[in-house]
Amino acid sequence: MFYRKGRVLLAGDAAHIHHSVGGRGLNIGAQDAVNLGWKLAQVVKGISPESLLDTYSAERHPVAARVRRNTMAQIALLRRGEDGLKAARDIVAELLAMDEPRQRFGAMMSGLDVHYDLGKGHPLLGRRMPDLDLTIDGRPLRLFTLLHGARGLLLNFSKTGGLDIAPWADRIDRIYADCDGPWQLPAIGQVAAPGAVLVRPDGHVAWVGDQRQHELANALTRWFGPAAAWKADTGLVHFPT
Ligand SMILES: Cc1cc2nc3c(=O)[nH]c(=O)nc-3n(C[C@H](O)[C@H](O)[C@H](O)COP(=O)(O)OP(=O)(O)OC[C@H]3O[C@@H](n4cnc5c(N)ncnc54)[C@H](O)[C@@H]3O)c2cc1C
């Protein structure tokens, strides 16, 4: 793994360094830290197996490789004195005058298009959950407010549905919310509102409710450790990892 050797983990400029054109360095380094922090905490507390740390490198290295590629392309375009590069600059400028390419570039430059490979499924899977305007118990609330506790979040948008997360209740908050769809997302545009989503503490979507319940249990185990059993006198007990 690129960013981990045993107990040594690299993040920020220590993991990837590139020219400052495009202004991506700080953003990508902060995202590294947000991706890694909750995973480290779970492994240190014995909630998740050490293999969770390998997902850090697997998810973040492709992001840095893409930023590096984009930075190299910008450097090339900025070079003066070659007719071919002037033509390439003009073509990119024409593209940026169009809505769809401009939105794509905007999502790329801001890092809002980051998409971790969590398998096939709803377009939200692996992407950053948007900061939606929710209604909870009749009161308005922005979605990111629910992530301030840095815990997992199961957001249930359907009135029905008894998704069982009891064995993970010490690690996951379950919230029933209303939010009319379709949703407009950076990079991918309009998506149908799902029935429920599981959001990781770093704000990325780990499961989408149009998949089956057993897939929710798999996603909970993968990202939040094995199920715990209830012990009558002291509460939840974790199975050994
Ligand atoms: C000219 C320039 C312009 C930039 N413009 C932008 C921009 O517009 N937008 C953007 O997002 N990014 C920009 N960047 C990039 C951004 O500054 C970096 O990506 C970001 O600061 C990296 O943060 P970091 O915490 O990984 O590393 P650093 O900010 O380098 O922090 C590492 C820290 O570790 C300390 N340290 C080093 N060795 C040791 C040691 N042995 N023991 C203890 N401490 C140590 C250092 O003193 C430093 O404080 C720019 C960079 C440059 C150079």
Side-chain angles (χ1 to χ4, degrees), residues 8-56:
V8 178
L9 290 130
L10 300 178
D13 276 15
H16 39 72
I17 194 148
H18 49 79
H19 195 282
S20 54
V21 67
R24 299 287 312 274
L26 203 57
N27 190 356
I28 188 179
Q31 284 187 17
D32 287 346
V34 173
N35 183 291
L36 179 60
W38 64 280
K39 295 174 182 173
L40 262 184
Q42 286 186 186
V43 172
V44 167
K45 287 182 183 167
I47 293 170
S48 292
E50 223 185 287
S51 57
L52 183 66
L53 295 179
D54 291 331
T55 67
Y56 164 64

Side-chain angles (χ1 to χ4, degrees), residues 5 38 54 80-81 84 87 101 115 118 140 142 167 191 194 197 199-200 226:
K5 186 158 189 186
W38 64 280
D54 291 331
R80 299 278 155 186
H115 183 200
L118 303 189
R142 293 293 288 266
V191 297
V197 285
V199 186
R200 308 190 316 193

Side-chain angles (χ1 to χ4, degrees), residues 29-219:
Q31 284 187 17
D32 287 346
V34 173
N35 183 291
L36 179 60
W38 64 280
K39 295 174 182 173
L40 262 184
Q42 286 186 186
V43 172
V44 167
K45 287 182 183 167
I47 293 170
S48 292
E50 223 185 287
S51 57
L52 183 66
L53 295 179
D54 291 331
T55 67
Y56 164 64
S57 191
E59 290 179 348
R60 295 304 299 167
H61 184 266
V63 174
R66 195 154 169 260
V67 168
R68 185 170 171 271
R69 193 186 65 156
N70 296 342
T71 306
M72 286 163 65
Q74 286 182 67
I75 296 282
L77 284 175
L78 286 171
R79 217 172 285 138
R80 299 278 155 186
E82 289 174 42
D83 286 348
L85 285 174
K86 160 115 182 44
R89 268 197 302 279
D90 289 347
I91 288 171
V92 171
E94 276 172 25
L95 284 171
L96 290 178
M98 301 173 194
D99 285 347
E100 216 259 332
R102 193 173 54 249
Q103 278 162 13
R104 273 180 182 256
F105 268 75
M108 181 184 78
M109 300 302 288
S110 60
L112 289 174
D113 67 346
V114 170
H115 183 200
Y116 300 142
D117 182 8
L118 303 189
K120 287 192 171 41
H122 192 280
L124 265 177
L125 191 63
R127 291 185 188 273
R128 194 162 169 270
M129 188 68 194
D131 190 13
L132 300 169
D133 289 310
L134 306 175
T135 306
I136 298 172
D137 292 334
R139 286 198 298 269
L141 193 80
R142 293 293 288 266
L143 190 145
F144 283 4
T145 316
L146 299 170
L147 297 176
H148 288 178
R151 285 163 55 82
L153 176 67
L154 182 72
L155 263 175
N156 198 338
F157 297 107
S158 107
K159 303 276 181 293
T160 56
L163 295 167
D164 179 20
I165 60 156
W168 290 272
D170 57 336
R171 288 154 272 171
I172 306 288
D173 294 327
R174 181 167 60 180
I175 305 280
Y176 288 89
D178 288 313
C179 183
D180 293 335
W183 301 343
Q184 191 67 32
L185 302 186
I188 50 173
Q190 214 174 63
V191 297
V197 285
L198 176 66
V199 186
R200 308 190 316 193
D202 61 3
H204 281 258
V205 175
W207 172 87
V208 181
D210 41 18
Q211 298 153 269
R212 287 182 291 273
Q213 165 82 35
H214 82 267
E215 287 171 347
L216 172 61
N218 289 345

